[in-house]
Amino acid sequence: MHTYYMAIDVGASSGRHILGWLEDGVIRLEEVHRFANGPVKRDACMAWDVDHIRSEMITGLRKAGDIGKRPDSLGVDTWGVDFALLDKDDAVIGDVVCYRDHRTRGMMDEVFARMPVEELYARTGIQILNINTVFQLMAVKLHRPELLDQARTCLMMPNFLSFLLSGVKKNEYTMASTSQLVNAETGMWDEEIFNRLGFPLDAFPALDMPGTPAGSLTPGVKRAVGYDCRMMLPPSHDTASAVLALPAVDDESIYISSGTWSLMGIERLRPDCRDVCRMAGFTNEGGYARRYRFLKNIMGLWVIQNLKKEIAPDADYDTLAEMARAGMDFTGTIDVNGPEFLMPDSMKDTVVAVARKELGDYPKTEEQILAVGYRSIAESYAATARAVEALSGKTFSRVHIMGGGSQDKFLNQLTVEATGRDIYIGPVEATAIGNILSQMLADGVFPDMQSARRAVASSFKVERVGA
């Protein structure tokens, strides 16, 4: 009999239940459930349908039991920055709002009036993005203060979903680090930030590290799925789990965790909170074993996904790539990381408008618009690679692309051309693998992170694309 570990990996557009186990020294995976996810429009905001997510999590757990592969433990991971507020009875207060909601407009100025941007970055090392938890909380404080008054607990998104299954309230370090409320040196909530911004620190459970037990299924969930299992805290920010699954034990690679967002950077043992890093747009998010993910958030395939919806919604991505190739006669690139790309009414119109502004010219056809999108992402990768080397004082010989976006062969080839480096592709399911690895490490299946990464390298296909 195998010991099964489950990753419930919930993304901004879909969620998956993936089982993992070790068989003859090889890590095996099996997807048992997949479900759609996405923000829904409420009266006043864009929010997550947490009832839907909870129902789907239970469905996936039940399916694992139905096929005779009950997980011994499970962990939940999601995207960063979002959170839920709970009242004294542990009921959700208000909506669980999506980071793409417009409520953070103007909140940077409000926060910086209380704590200058240079000081906020020096304390946290986190890239200044208007989606960050710190700006979302300021919006609540200024526009819905009654919600904070009622709040007795604030749980980051994956830890809230874990709570829905277990009833145990914990906040995990890697996820909390995305909030811009955690001190980069101590790895704990930064009391000075909370005091200066007027946020209720006592509502934020102290931080736990990946590998911490988090209870078991509640009686109600246990009845619904037909069995019990242990809950564990993985690196609950999806990129932290993906980086744990990096199939290399050296430090010669710049990594890209590629999906709706592209997270590009290196792993470090110490944070770098210099102001030059802030100016370059880099972040120091928490990683497994108190390592740091020194990386930059790049808008990534969000641009392509939205162009596809407008230009060729029924086409597959190979067809989309052929269309882009036909438009490569327009050679300009634009900065796809501007705030106008975060939630545009029309991605096509945004690409054209930004091209007009930055280039003095613009793509005339849909094929050219796609070409600009693809090429601009690849050029953003190249610029980020150069910046990583300049800031770290180290040269990196290759780029390693993991996650679902690593399957985009056209973007991979453009990345080779733009960066001038060899590209290594895979594994596709890096986030789920890292989630499962953390559970295996907690159980002693692997003695350390290096041996776990070696197992990833020998268990999953990694493809090299030469420069």
Side-chain angles (χ1 to χ4, degrees):
M1 286 289 293
H2 299 297
T3 299
Y4 295 102
Y5 302 88
M6 176 174 279
I8 301 181
D9 172 29
V10 185
S13 59
S14 67
R16 298 93 49 76
H17 292 59
I18 295 181
L19 288 169
W21 66 95
L22 197 65
E23 183 177 330
D24 299 326
V26 175
I27 301 169
R28 305 292 188 188
L29 299 180
E30 180 179 349
E31 181 181 303
V32 297
H33 184 55
R34 180 178 288 262
F35 61 93
N37 188 39
V40 294
K41 187 68 176 175
R42 305 294 194 196
D43 290 340
C45 67
M46 291 183 64
W48 300 106
D49 187 345
V50 295
D51 291 335
H52 165 73
I53 297 173
R54 180 182 183 276
S55 175
E56 293 289 353
M57 289 195 300
I58 289 173
T59 296
L61 287 168
R62 187 186 304 116
K63 285 183 177 180
D66 290 343
I67 62 173
K69 296 180 178 179
R70 297 179 177 183
D72 189 67
S73 74
L74 70 91
V76 181
D77 66 76
T78 75
W79 63 92
V81 307
D82 286 345
F83 59 92
L85 297 174
L86 307 181
D87 67 14
K88 61 182 178 58
D89 299 315
D90 291 338
V92 177
I93 304 170
D95 291 306
V96 180
V97 180
C98 173
Y99 63 89
R100 293 190 187 276
D101 186 74
H102 295 313
R103 67 177 175 172
T104 55
R105 286 177 176 172
M107 292 304 108
M108 283 189 177
D109 291 341
E110 296 290 347
V111 168
F112 300 153
R114 296 160 174 80
M115 177 172 283
V117 59
E118 296 85 357
E119 183 180 358
L120 184 64
Y121 186 85
R123 300 187 75 92
T124 66
I126 297 301
Q127 181 181 4
I128 307 297
L129 295 170
N130 67 352
I131 64 175
N132 291 350
T133 313
V134 66
F135 303 116
Q136 294 196 49
L137 278 171
M138 184 56 71
V140 176
K141 174 182 170 63
L142 295 181
H143 300 307
R144 298 293 305 278
E146 72 279 6
L147 300 185
L148 280 184
D149 290 343
Q150 297 173 50
R152 296 297 177 268
T153 308
C154 180
L155 295 177
M156 301 301 289
M157 189 68 186
N159 312 132
F160 167 65
L161 297 182
S162 181
F163 160 76
L164 294 180
L165 297 177
S166 71
V168 174
K169 294 179 286 188
K170 289 182 177 293
N171 273 321
E172 184 272 325
Y173 163 69
T174 69
M175 178 65 188
S177 73
T178 71
S179 68
Q180 206 153 45
L181 294 165
V182 173
N183 187 284
E185 292 291 343
T186 67
M188 297 185 291
W189 298 118
D190 191 308
E191 187 173 351
E192 180 68 14
I193 296 175
F194 278 80
N195 289 339
R196 297 262 288 276
L197 301 185
F199 299 156
L201 179 58
D202 59 355
F204 290 70
L207 301 182
D208 286 295
M209 298 301 293
T212 300
S216 58
L217 302 181
T218 66
V221 173
K222 186 165 61 175
R223 285 193 299 272
V225 304
Y227 60 89
D228 197 5
C229 70
R230 295 176 296 142
M231 298 287 296
M232 299 289 290
L233 293 180
S236 60
H237 184 223
D238 50 14
T239 308
S241 273
V243 171
L244 175 56
L246 185 67
V249 294
D250 58 32
D251 61 352
E252 298 302 315
S253 294
I254 298 173
Y255 61 77
I256 303 174
S257 179
S258 179
T260 300
W261 287 85
S262 290
L263 296 307
M264 183 174 184
I266 56 176
E267 193 173 53
R268 306 185 81 164
L269 299 178
R270 297 286 305 161
D272 188 346
C273 303
R274 294 176 296 157
D275 204 52
V276 65
C277 298
R278 176 185 70 83
M279 296 294 288
F282 277 80
T283 200
N284 294 267
E285 294 173 352
Y288 185 83
R290 280 301 303 275
R291 297 186 174 213
Y292 294 84
R293 294 171 283 137
F294 184 69
L295 59 83
K296 188 168 185 176
N297 288 272
I298 298 169
M299 205 67 71
L301 289 174
W302 169 253
V303 177
I304 305 303
Q305 290 165 357
N306 280 273
L307 288 177
K308 181 180 183 298
K309 289 178 184 177
E310 293 184 69
I311 293 173
D314 298 325
D316 59 27
Y317 280 92
D318 288 339
T319 301
L320 206 70
E322 287 302 317
M323 294 177 66
R325 287 189 182 94
M328 295 296 275
D329 54 323
F330 188 91
T331 57
T333 62
I334 59 176
D335 179 7
V336 291
N337 295 308
E340 59 268 55
F341 288 97
L342 188 62
M343 197 63 188
D345 292 330
S346 167
M347 188 64 76
K348 280 175 56 178
D349 292 348
T350 301
V351 169
V352 170
V354 172
R356 282 180 183 271
K357 179 181 177 181
E358 294 183 1
L359 305 175
D361 194 5
Y362 63 95
K364 312 301 192 299
T365 67
E366 291 182 335
E367 289 79 6
Q368 289 179 342
I369 291 171
L370 284 168
V372 170
Y374 271 110
R375 187 186 275 123
S376 297
I377 295 169
E379 179 51 42
S380 186
Y381 291 166
T384 301
R386 294 190 294 268
V388 166
E389 292 185 333
L391 291 169
S392 67
K394 180 177 173 57
T395 299
F396 297 89
S397 61
R398 56 183 178 262
V399 175
H400 199 115
I401 307 178
M402 307 170 292
S406 68
Q407 299 173 95
D408 193 319
K409 294 180 180 179
F410 182 54
L411 181 56
N412 291 343
Q413 186 57 50
L414 292 177
T415 302
V416 169
E417 297 168 5
T419 64
R421 292 170 171 82
D422 287 349
I423 305 297
Y424 288 78
I425 310 299
V428 172
E429 297 290 359
T431 295
I433 294 167
N435 183 326
I436 289 165
L437 281 184
S438 71
Q439 299 176 58
M440 289 180 167
L441 283 161
D443 269 7
V445 176
F446 300 109
D448 51 41
M449 184 170 67
Q450 287 72 25
S451 62
R453 283 175 165 171
R454 282 192 288 269
V456 174
S458 61
S459 299
F460 301 97
K461 179 181 178 181
V462 176
E463 178 185 359
R464 175 182 170 272
V465 182

